[in-house]
Amino acid sequence: MRKSLQLQAEMAQEFGACVFDVTLDCEDGAPVGGEAEHAALVAELALGAAPGARVAVRIHPADHPAFAADVETVVGRAGQRLCHVMLPKAESVQDVEQAARALDAAGAPRLPLHALVESPAALHRAFDIAAHPRIQSLSFGLMDFVSAHGGAIAAEAMGVQGQFTHPLVVRAKLEIATACHAHGKVPSHCVVTEIKDAAAFRAAAQRAAREFGYTRMWSIHPDQVRIVLEAFAPQQQDIERAAQIVVAAARADWAPIAFDGKLEDRASYRYHWQLLERAHQTGRALPGEVRHWFQPPHH
């Protein structure tokens, strides 16, 4: 956890912005019987994070005995330093409601929730979960999802190749991405456990971004972070074209225009604006004529 926070601070200095979140894990990261001590450490690390750092916490599931204590300890002590709380094994809207009430009681009524969809039943309710106003993002829990099928899905479906070809896993990924986009939420792609094969990981990240509609992706090793940023960032020529179109649209007061012999209107303006937002969020340099729209105001 400390290494992740250190890497985040170093890359924030390099890019001039915090380009990835660090999620401190109370679920799988805590030893059995040591949940309370681990939660206290997570709260301490969150409070000590660098200014501007985006630090989140994954708490235990809503039905776990340590759930309430996680929220009380981490959110109660460090809620003001967290960017969101990750709720694993969110099976229903009721689980989200329970977590939201717990955050409220811990003094963090505006803290967003992210949820992990990790079972067939949760997948069935993904649209309802994504619609909840407290939910900011859905993530796919690949390994738990495969395990939830009781051996009906082969272990290869958890690998870097199989997860993009097995029909049930592909369907799950597409359902989660669609549920998020339907409700204006962020779809976050699952982990890829091959940490030594950079080429395979890069191919997976590119497929997640370009074919499956994901706009974020989990990494589980420092070497994966830059590959994710690269895969999810727009290409430089697309950034430059988007900037030109948005500038021309602004000059026309957002009326339809002709650009390079093609019609551009508000539907395409929104697309190009979102492309520029994604470029900014992934640490890409924006052309000078649009940079002012994405810089925080000075006080």
Side-chain angles (χ1 to χ4, degrees):
M1 293 190 291
R2 289 188 175 93
K3 286 182 178 178
S4 297
L5 291 168
Q6 181 181 350
L7 179 65
Q8 184 189 55
E10 290 169 357
M11 289 184 65
Q13 190 169 14
E14 176 185 342
F15 284 94
C18 187
V19 291
F20 69 94
D21 297 355
V22 169
T23 301
L24 305 176
D25 189 13
C26 283
E27 187 194 16
D28 294 337
V32 175
E35 291 88 356
E37 293 80 4
H38 190 79
L41 174 60
V42 165
E44 177 189 329
L45 291 174
L47 286 169
R54 290 183 54 85
V55 182
V57 59
R58 178 166 74 161
I59 56 177
H60 280 86
D63 62 354
H64 192 280
F67 166 80
D70 279 354
V71 175
E72 183 179 350
T73 299
V74 182
V75 179
R77 295 182 192 174
Q80 75 277 12
R81 291 303 315 276
L82 299 175
C83 57
H84 66 264
V85 169
M86 168 61 73
L87 178 68
K89 298 176 177 59
E91 289 291 302
S92 65
V93 174
Q94 287 71 33
D95 286 347
V96 176
E97 286 284 357
Q98 180 182 343
R101 288 194 299 269
L103 297 191
D104 293 348
R110 293 182 181 84
L111 191 59
L113 275 166
H114 292 198
L116 269 159
V117 175
E118 304 185 69
S119 75
L123 180 67
H124 179 68
R125 305 181 187 108
F127 277 78
D128 293 334
I129 294 172
H132 193 283
R134 199 66 173 269
I135 289 290
Q136 187 180 64
S137 173
L138 294 185
S139 295
F140 179 40
L142 169 66
M143 289 177 279
D144 278 287
F145 182 81
V146 171
S147 299
H149 285 75
I153 300 178
E156 288 78 14
M158 292 187 280
V160 69
Q161 300 293 339
Q163 65 173 282
F164 289 101
T165 55
H166 193 286
L168 288 174
V169 177
V170 168
R171 170 180 171 260
K173 290 188 182 190
L174 295 175
E175 287 281 309
I176 290 167
T178 303
C180 286
H181 290 302
H183 295 290
K185 307 302 172 68
V186 176
S188 188
H189 193 268
C190 59
V191 301
V192 172
T193 55
E194 283 82 354
I195 58 177
K196 297 297 184 183
D197 192 339
F201 181 78
R202 181 174 289 104
Q206 289 172 345
R207 293 197 73 179
R210 299 174 188 176
E211 298 177 34
F212 283 75
Y214 283 81
T215 56
R216 281 166 62 107
M217 183 172 179
W218 286 85
S219 62
I220 54 171
H221 190 276
D223 292 346
Q224 295 180 335
V225 174
R226 290 181 187 273
I227 297 174
V228 170
L229 288 173
E230 179 186 335
F232 281 76
Q235 300 297 305
Q236 191 59 40
Q237 64 267 26
D238 295 332
I239 296 171
E240 291 168 3
R241 177 180 170 81
Q244 292 168 1
I245 290 173
V246 169
V247 168
R251 287 176 182 152
D253 291 327
W254 310 103
I257 61 171
F259 187 89
D260 280 351
K262 286 178 57 181
L263 170 70
E264 303 284 352
D265 61 12
R266 292 191 183 191
S268 62
Y269 298 160
R270 180 170 61 173
Y271 172 86
H272 292 298
W273 181 272
Q274 290 168 340
L275 188 146
L276 293 173
E277 282 186 321
R278 200 162 71 251
H280 175 65
Q281 290 162 355
T282 49
R284 294 302 184 263
L286 295 178
E289 61 267 28
V290 298
R291 198 175 300 143
H292 65 281
W293 280 319
F294 298 91
Q295 290 175 334
H298 294 290
H299 297 290

